């Protein structure tokens, strides 16, 4: 891809809280750019980007879907991401490889729970954003309220570049604060909102338009120096100057333009596309991606140019009937079909058998891809999510993607012995696709345990196993992923002695165990002096401590927030071994935990419930019975929003309960928050 083409390339994601209208907005983008010739609808199960059976059945996005479309002279690679917190990894890995994002807000709900999570993820990767306040045609929609909500809760650097014309069912279009014109879309349904016209701003909106235009100019001037100079000298601005300064502020200084519209009613999407092209960055506008040169461990930068050495990040693995697809963001160089590549993490060569440009689950074969492109590759065997792909002669590792810890698990077993191998293959395939889906065997019960990010996450994966892969398996009830810690210090002096007739086994250590919150869940400190224990044996002690902490002590749950200090010990010149020191470390840690008194930690979720006022009492009563704590209650018209914290163990089946007590009118969202000590009753039930 040449420099001129890179200038006109946009890699963007569409992210938001569940049900804010992300997928509908994407469908309209595909329609207006000519990628689709028919409007797909989420509620009808015909949305292009929700192509999985589970997505169509539930009316939600589960997996991020990529597509490429063209608007005017620009190529736009779009990734539609899920809004449900259980699938937050799909947002995380998409934002890692994108250059910009559209954050969609509901015109009624404003900033909701999952919006804040998505926003934090975008901040983490420093992704420039534009905001689109959607659903302006809905009862109770209020652009100014949502604008102030975003400003207060998320970012003070937002600037309005549009105002709505009309309210709720009379929403007709937008005021463009840069041109100072009203853009009125046609009400002719056959034209699907494709035609609109510029008019003078209605009299009743003129004063507001002047106030918010001034707010826009002041916001831009606050971030862009050359614009500030002109702003203070009170010179008039041309449209081109405002747009140029707004682009600079958005890409370099964290400014965020705010637009409005109604994707479902086909209003405002063309202007949103114009804003994507005008204000979001091309691959040339963002800093070169950083990596580590494998040969000498030095820091390196990969520039977005065709003549650079190849570097690409595998950000998603997807399985379909044609084989595994590895989604790549190419950061530098050129990749060709049939090329031999290198994975420095796995130290394996990979063959790019075929390259594809993706359109949800449909594909278009390519001969090559270059810097800035997002493509899918068939043929990789050992590459996982977060791996770097490069040339063997110039190995580089790019910054990895971090994955959150799982919070819920359930047992699974094949119905027949014949299904055992098939189940193992399917679980391995799903785990490769989704890094937040873990599979392990319980050492005590020998049961196969699957773990994930929430009840819905595991339910969707279970349904995929049964319907998509036709695996006959029994699945147990969900189980909470508890943790253990300790409440006080303990010191233990422990020996491991075995005589077997020949060479014996001998090891002695003295350790101190104490509560400790650090970067690692288990901190190990070696204070051995004078060579009382040699380095290889100290490594065995550390491994014994860490392995024992992982498998748990009292209830079999991992030990966290502890520090183990090796104070003293001794060894035998003949009988000591790494095996002996590994074992004595495990025994000493178990005894120290017993002495220090184990504390069970349970995962706590942040919960936000939205209900009509008439059902508030029932919801709060149910909250109390679930050990939930209410932090805040907010009025939103006739609705009440209850924000609080609730133990994960108390949330199973909550979706059915909330539907029942609010007659289907209540909604809720949850996300992991923290681990806290569990009450004694819970401790006795699970340990």
């Amino acid at each position: 891809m040449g420099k001129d083409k890179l200038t006109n390339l946009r890699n963007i994601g569409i992210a938001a809280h569940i049900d804010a209208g992300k997928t509908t907005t994407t469908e309209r983008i595909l329609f207006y750019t000519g990628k689709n010739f028919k409007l797909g609808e989420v509620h009808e199960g015909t949305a292009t980007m929700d192509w999985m059976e589970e997505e169509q059945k539930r009316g939600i996005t589960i997996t991020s879907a990529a597509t490429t479309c063209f608007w005017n002279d620009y190529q736009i690679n779009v990734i539609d991401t899920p809004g449900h917190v259980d699938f937050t990894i799909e947002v995380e890995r998409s934002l890692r490889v994108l250059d910009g994002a559209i954050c969609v807000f509901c015109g009624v709900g404003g900033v909701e729970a999952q919006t804040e999570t998505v926003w934090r993820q975008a901040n983490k990767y420093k992704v420039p954003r534009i905001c689109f306040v959607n659903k302006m045609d809905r009862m109770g929609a209020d652009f100014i309220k949502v604008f102030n909500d975003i400003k207060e809760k998320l970012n003070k650097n937002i600037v309005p570049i549009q105002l709505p014309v009309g309210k709720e069912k009379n929403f007709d279009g937008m005021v463009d604060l840069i041109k100072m014109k009203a853009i009125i879309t046609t009400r002719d349904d056959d034209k699907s909102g494709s035609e609109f016209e510029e008019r003078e701003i209605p009299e009743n909106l003129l004063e507001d338009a002047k106030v918010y235009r001034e707010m826009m100019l002041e916001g831009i001037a606050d971030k862009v120096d050359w614009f500030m100079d002109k702003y203070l000298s009170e010179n008039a601005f041309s449209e081109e100057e405002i747009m140029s300064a707004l682009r600079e502020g958005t890409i370099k200084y964290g400014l965020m333009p705010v637009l409005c519209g109604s994707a479902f009613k086909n209003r405002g999407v063309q202007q949103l596309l114009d804003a994507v092209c005008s204000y979001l960055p091309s691959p040339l506008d963002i800093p070169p991606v950083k990596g580590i040169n494998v040969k000498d461990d030095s820091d390196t930068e990969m520039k977005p140019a065709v003549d650079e050495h190849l570097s690409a990040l595998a950000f998603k693995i997807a399985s379909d009937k044609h084989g595994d697809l590895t989604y790549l963001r190419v950061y530098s160089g050129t990749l060709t079909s049939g090329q031999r590549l290198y994975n420095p993490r796995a130290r394996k060569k990979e063959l790019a058998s075929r390259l594809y440009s993706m359109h949800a689950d449909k594909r278009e074969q390519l001969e090559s891809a270059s810097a800035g492109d997002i493509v899918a590759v068939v043929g990789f065997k050992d590459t996982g999510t977060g791996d770097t792909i490069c040339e063997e002669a110039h190995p580089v590792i790019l910054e990895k993607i971090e994955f959150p810890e799982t919070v819920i698990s359930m047992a699974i077993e094949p119905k027949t012995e014949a299904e055992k191998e098939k189940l193992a293959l399917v679980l391995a395939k799903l785990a490769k696709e989704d890094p937040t889906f873990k599979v392990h065997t319980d050492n005590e019960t020998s049961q196969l345990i699957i773990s994930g990010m929430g009840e819905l996450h595991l339910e969707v994966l279970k349904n995929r196993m049964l319907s998509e892969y036709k695996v006959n398996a029994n699945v147990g009830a969900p189980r909470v992923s508890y943790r253990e810690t300790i409440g006080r210090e303990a010191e233990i002096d422990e020996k491991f002695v075995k005589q077997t007739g020949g060479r014996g086994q001998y090891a002695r250590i003295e350790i101190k165990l104490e509560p400790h919150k650090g970067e690692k869940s288990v901190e190990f400190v070696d204070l051995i002096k004078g060579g009382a224990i040699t380095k290889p044996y100290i490594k065995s002690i550390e491994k014994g401590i860490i392995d024992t902490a992982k498998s748990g002590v009292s209830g079999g749950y991992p030990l966290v927030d502890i520090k183990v200090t090796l104070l003293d010990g001794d060894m035998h010149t003949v009988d000591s071994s790494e095996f002996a020191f590994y074992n004595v470390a495990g025994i000493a840690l178990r005894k120290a935990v017993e002495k220090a008194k184990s504390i069970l930690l349970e995962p706590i979720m942040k919960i936000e419930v939205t209900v009509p006022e008439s059902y508030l009492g029932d919801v709060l009563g149910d909250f109390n019975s679930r050990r939930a704590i209410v932090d805040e209650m907010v009025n939103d018209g006739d609705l009440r929003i209850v924000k609080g914290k609730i133990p994960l163990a108390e949330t199973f089946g909550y979706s059915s309960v909330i539907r029942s007590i609010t007659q289907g009118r209540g909604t809720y969202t949850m996300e992991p928050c923290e681990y806290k000590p569990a009450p004694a009753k819970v401790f006795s039930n699970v340990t």
Side-chain angles (χ1 to χ4, degrees):
M1 189 176 283
K3 195 167 182 179
D4 55 334
K5 286 190 179 174
L6 271 176
T7 304
N8 285 10
L9 175 66
R10 300 289 180 269
N11 288 315
I12 64 161
I14 300 186
H17 180 88
I18 192 168
D19 207 30
K22 296 179 303 302
T23 302
T24 303
T25 303
T26 312
E27 291 299 316
R28 296 317 186 257
I29 287 173
L30 298 182
F31 177 76
Y32 289 125
T33 56
K35 193 76 182 182
N36 282 357
F37 300 105
K38 180 181 180 296
L39 288 168
E41 303 294 2
V42 175
H43 60 278
E44 292 173 3
T46 58
T48 306
M49 304 301 267
D50 285 353
W51 57 270
M52 284 173 63
E53 187 186 329
E54 280 291 315
E55 292 178 315
Q56 291 167 356
K57 208 188 296 177
R58 295 171 186 273
I60 61 169
T61 303
I62 290 168
T63 181
S64 52
T67 191
T68 300
C69 55
F70 296 86
W71 181 248
N72 299 330
D73 295 327
Y74 290 84
Q75 177 184 331
I76 305 174
N77 295 326
V78 186
I79 297 184
D80 175 33
T81 63
H84 200 287
V85 69
D86 283 18
F87 310 105
T88 188
I89 185 57
E90 291 289 336
V91 185
E92 180 90 17
R93 59 184 173 188
S94 299
L95 288 170
R96 167 67 180 83
V97 298
L98 292 170
D99 302 328
I102 300 170
C103 284
V104 182
F105 296 83
C106 172
V108 182
V111 176
E112 297 167 279
Q114 183 62 7
T115 321
E116 297 184 42
T117 305
V118 169
W119 200 268
R120 283 196 301 271
Q121 289 170 311
N123 285 344
K124 178 178 170 183
Y125 295 113
K126 299 183 173 65
V127 179
R129 275 149 275 176
I130 55 180
C131 304
F132 180 59
V133 181
N134 191 26
K135 302 191 177 185
M136 291 308 301
D137 60 306
R138 287 268 299 270
M139 180 80 73
D142 187 335
F143 177 79
I144 303 304
K145 175 178 166 290
V146 175
F147 178 85
N148 291 331
D149 206 19
I150 299 169
K151 191 164 192 166
E152 184 187 325
K153 294 177 181 173
L154 301 177
N155 193 312
K156 292 190 168 27
N157 300 322
I158 61 167
V159 288
I161 62 172
Q162 290 180 349
L163 284 179
V165 175
K167 287 192 81 169
E168 299 173 348
K169 66 180 181 181
N170 296 318
F171 173 64
D172 281 334
M174 298 75 59
V175 170
D176 185 327
L177 297 174
I178 297 171
K179 293 181 177 179
M180 283 302 274
K181 292 282 184 185
I183 300 165
I184 307 299
T185 29
T186 177
R187 283 186 169 277
D188 184 346
D189 291 337
D190 291 335
K191 292 178 181 171
S192 304
S194 297
E195 291 185 12
F196 52 87
E197 58 186 27
E198 286 186 5
R199 299 179 188 168
E200 292 305 313
I201 298 171
E203 280 294 321
N204 63 325
L205 282 175
L206 197 53
E207 278 309 306
D208 279 349
K210 287 176 181 174
V211 168
Y212 280 92
R213 177 182 163 89
E214 191 60 31
M215 185 189 288
M216 173 188 74
L217 296 175
E218 194 178 311
I220 299 170
D222 197 39
K223 291 291 178 184
V224 183
D225 290 343
W226 66 264
F227 195 84
M228 172 65 91
D229 295 339
K230 194 160 188 180
Y231 179 74
L232 291 175
S233 62
E234 296 185 0
N235 288 333
F237 292 102
S238 68
E239 283 177 35
E240 290 73 21
E241 284 174 324
I242 296 172
M243 290 174 73
S244 173
L246 190 52
R247 176 176 177 76
E248 187 180 330
T250 302
I251 294 170
K252 292 183 181 176
Y253 306 116
L255 262 186
M256 290 176 198
V258 184
L259 300 88
C260 61
S262 167
F264 183 61
K265 291 292 174 71
N266 313 313
R267 291 180 173 85
V269 179
Q270 296 101 313
Q271 289 71 35
L272 178 63
L273 280 164
D274 288 337
V276 165
C277 301
S278 299
Y279 309 123
L280 289 182
S282 75
L284 296 171
D285 294 317
I286 57 171
V289 66
K290 290 181 168 57
I292 294 169
N293 186 324
V294 175
K295 288 182 176 176
D296 58 10
D297 279 350
S298 62
D299 292 339
T300 185
E301 287 186 344
M302 311 304 288
K303 292 173 186 164
V306 178
D307 53 0
E308 279 275 314
H309 298 303
L310 175 70
S311 67
L313 189 79
F315 67 94
K316 178 179 168 69
I317 313 292
S319 298
D320 72 1
K321 54 184 179 288
H322 304 294
D324 280 357
L325 279 173
T326 304
Y327 284 77
L328 294 180
R329 161 70 193 261
V330 184
Y331 282 101
S332 61
T334 302
L335 170 67
T336 55
S337 185
Q339 186 178 353
R340 286 262 173 206
L341 302 164
Y342 185 63
N343 180 335
R345 179 199 60 80
R347 296 183 182 175
K348 296 277 179 73
K349 290 178 184 176
E350 294 279 30
L351 175 66
S353 301
R354 290 185 298 284
L355 300 181
Y356 293 105
S357 170
M358 297 302 295
H359 180 46
D361 62 332
K362 296 177 179 62
R363 52 178 80 177
E364 177 190 328
Q365 195 158 344
L366 303 170
E367 285 305 311
S368 67
S370 54
D373 280 336
I374 291 176
V375 292
V377 180
V378 171
F380 288 179
K381 298 280 188 279
D382 299 294
T383 297
T385 300
D387 283 354
T388 303
I389 295 297
C390 55
E391 299 160 4
E392 190 173 8
H394 303 281
V396 63
I397 292 179
L398 305 178
E399 184 190 350
K400 287 197 73 169
I401 303 169
E402 292 174 14
F403 306 118
E405 287 291 313
T406 58
V407 296
I408 187 172
S409 57
M410 58 171 68
I412 186 168
E413 61 181 31
K415 285 187 177 176
T416 64
E417 195 63 30
E419 291 280 317
K420 200 169 188 177
E421 196 174 328
K422 187 179 177 184
L423 176 63
L425 286 170
V426 169
L427 289 174
K429 195 176 273 254
L430 290 171
K432 191 176 181 185
E433 275 187 44
D434 183 351
T436 57
F437 175 61
K438 307 280 188 198
V439 183
H440 75 277
T441 304
D442 189 291
N443 293 332
E444 288 184 15
T445 63
S446 297
Q447 277 184 308
L448 203 56
I449 306 294
I450 58 174
S451 306
M453 297 306 298
E455 201 174 0
L456 179 62
H457 185 203
L458 287 188
E459 192 184 326
V460 166
L461 288 166
K462 178 187 80 174
N463 289 348
R464 283 189 66 193
M465 278 186 267
L466 302 177
S467 61
E468 195 177 316
Y469 293 103
K470 306 291 188 285
V471 174
N472 290 315
N474 294 318
V475 182
R479 296 192 323 168
V480 175
S481 294
Y482 292 101
R483 301 281 186 268
E484 287 181 50
T485 191
I486 52 162
R488 61 187 188 207
E489 285 185 16
E491 285 190 24
I492 291 288
D493 193 325
E494 185 62 31
K495 272 185 188 175
F496 180 80
V497 183
K498 274 198 176 180
Q499 286 302 131
T500 54
R503 181 183 164 184
Q505 296 286 353
Y506 176 84
R508 184 188 77 82
I509 60 169
E510 185 184 338
I511 63 167
K512 179 168 85 171
L513 174 68
E514 57 191 315
H516 174 75
K517 285 209 174 191
E519 283 185 21
K520 298 178 184 174
S521 55
V522 180
E523 200 78 42
F524 178 78
V525 180
D526 166 27
L527 292 185
I528 291 290
K529 290 178 183 159
I533 302 174
T534 58
K535 288 287 177 196
Y537 293 158
I538 290 171
K539 282 192 181 300
S540 295
I541 294 166
E542 183 176 3
K543 190 171 187 311
I545 295 285
I546 289 168
D547 286 355
T548 305
K550 274 183 189 169
S551 57
V553 176
S554 304
Y557 302 109
L559 268 167
V560 295
D561 297 337
I562 59 167
K563 179 178 173 183
V564 178
T565 307
L566 180 60
L567 302 171
D568 196 9
D570 57 56
M571 58 187 182
H572 192 277
T573 50
V574 178
D575 290 349
S576 285
S577 67
E578 290 180 9
F579 170 81
F581 278 102
Y582 178 87
N583 275 286
V584 78
I587 295 164
L589 181 61
R590 287 188 194 94
K591 288 189 177 178
V593 170
E594 203 176 305
K595 189 175 177 183
K597 300 294 182 203
S598 174
I599 296 170
L600 185 74
L601 299 174
E602 62 177 346
I604 305 295
M605 309 294 281
K606 225 190 255 186
I607 187 168
E608 192 171 294
V609 183
T610 304
V611 292
E613 189 174 16
S614 54
Y615 301 106
L616 183 62
D618 293 336
V619 168
L620 292 177
D622 184 64
F623 248 48
N624 289 335
S625 69
R626 293 173 184 269
R627 299 191 286 124
I629 296 166
V630 176
D631 291 333
E632 185 186 0
M633 277 198 281
V634 181
N635 294 347
D636 184 7
D638 296 335
L639 299 174
R640 295 292 174 268
I641 300 169
V642 182
K643 300 180 182 183
K645 295 189 178 81
I646 185 169
L648 176 64
E650 303 289 347
T651 65
F652 296 144
Y654 189 63
S655 54
S656 303
V657 171
I658 195 81
R659 270 199 303 270
S660 170
I661 60 179
T662 64
Q663 295 180 13
R665 295 177 66 195
T667 59
Y668 77 100
T669 58
M670 281 192 292
E671 62 176 297
C673 175
E674 60 190 338
Y675 273 86
K676 277 197 159 180
K681 186 180 175 184
V682 175
F683 186 88
S684 60
N685 287 341
V686 299
T687 55

